[in-house]
Amino acid sequence: MTDWIFAFVHLFLLLGVLGYAFVSLAKGQVLRFLTIILLLALYYLLVLHKAVRKEIARRRSLKK
């Protein structure tokens, strides 16, 4: 249960940061937008990518 809560809180925070990036872009702050997007991509690659690939493999194995 706590994993789901953590996942949803994490998802909402990431969506909030992504929304902030696009608001910054709309205000003409391109450098801030690019910095946030770059840091989010780096965060995904360094922290989340391995877990996402594991979960995809786990779900595929359940379907077989």
Side-chain angles (χ1 to χ4, degrees):
M1 177 76 174
T2 58
D3 289 339
W4 280 98
I5 294 170
F6 177 78
F8 279 114
V9 168
H10 205 83
L11 176 66
F12 288 129
L13 288 173
L14 286 173
L15 289 175
V17 170
L18 189 61
Y20 179 69
F22 281 102
V23 167
S24 296
L25 181 62
K27 290 182 178 180
Q29 299 169 339
V30 177
L31 186 59
R32 180 179 292 171
F33 169 78
L34 292 175
T35 303
I36 293 170
I37 294 300
L38 176 70
L39 291 174
L40 282 175
L42 190 64
Y43 175 73
Y44 174 79
L45 289 174
L46 294 176
V47 177
L48 299 177
H49 187 66
K50 184 177 178 183
V52 169
R53 289 181 55 92
K54 261 190 198 178
E55 182 64 18
I56 291 170
R58 186 185 72 82
R59 288 189 183 227
R60 283 185 181 160
S61 70
L62 290 176
K63 287 184 180 179
K64 291 180 181 179

